[in-house]
Amino acid sequence: MNYYLNLLLTYVLIGVIFSSLFYFFIRRNVLKNYFLCVLFGIIGSFFGVFFGSIIGFDPLKYIYFFREVFVTGIFWPSVFSFIVLLLFSNSFRHN
């Protein structure tokens, strides 16, 4: 498969996984629309990709399992997806 398609699918999958976990287990009573939550999870994942390309430090590369299994960095997309979802849910809670 194409390398860039793999990258795209990896980061979309990170966004979907984090938004699903966030929606179903953390803030379901606050967030009413699941697809909007998925959209913000994917946006946060791509923010993490851009931040990771600027910083260039991925702590998971030092763990043998992640270094052998994942070719791309998944730490910063995961962190930024969670942060964007947290900010998104807090903006709805105060309304």
Side-chain angles (χ1 to χ4, degrees):
M1 197 187 277
N2 190 0
Y3 176 74
Y4 294 109
L5 182 61
N6 282 341
L7 286 177
L8 178 71
L9 290 176
T10 301
Y11 298 135
V12 167
L13 186 64
I14 288 171
V16 169
I17 287 172
F18 271 90
S19 61
S20 297
L21 291 174
F22 204 85
Y23 181 80
F24 289 117
F25 295 112
I26 297 176
R27 303 272 186 188
R28 185 179 182 138
N29 57 349
V30 175
L31 300 172
K32 303 296 184 204
N33 192 352
Y34 174 71
F35 294 109
L36 195 60
C37 186
V38 168
L39 177 69
F40 275 92
I42 293 171
I43 289 171
S45 177
F46 281 104
F47 279 152
V49 171
F50 293 128
F51 183 78
S53 65
I54 292 170
I55 295 298
F57 173 70
D58 190 7
L60 296 180
K61 295 268 182 173
Y62 297 107
I63 300 172
Y64 180 75
F65 172 76
F66 290 110
R67 187 175 58 223
E68 293 296 319
V69 173
F70 296 109
V71 179
T72 62
I74 62 168
F75 178 74
W76 291 116
S78 302
V79 168
F80 270 79
S81 181
F82 184 78
I83 289 172
V84 167
L85 286 168
L86 189 65
L87 292 174
F88 176 63
S89 70
N90 285 337
S91 68
F92 273 116
R93 184 166 51 179
H94 296 296
N95 288 338

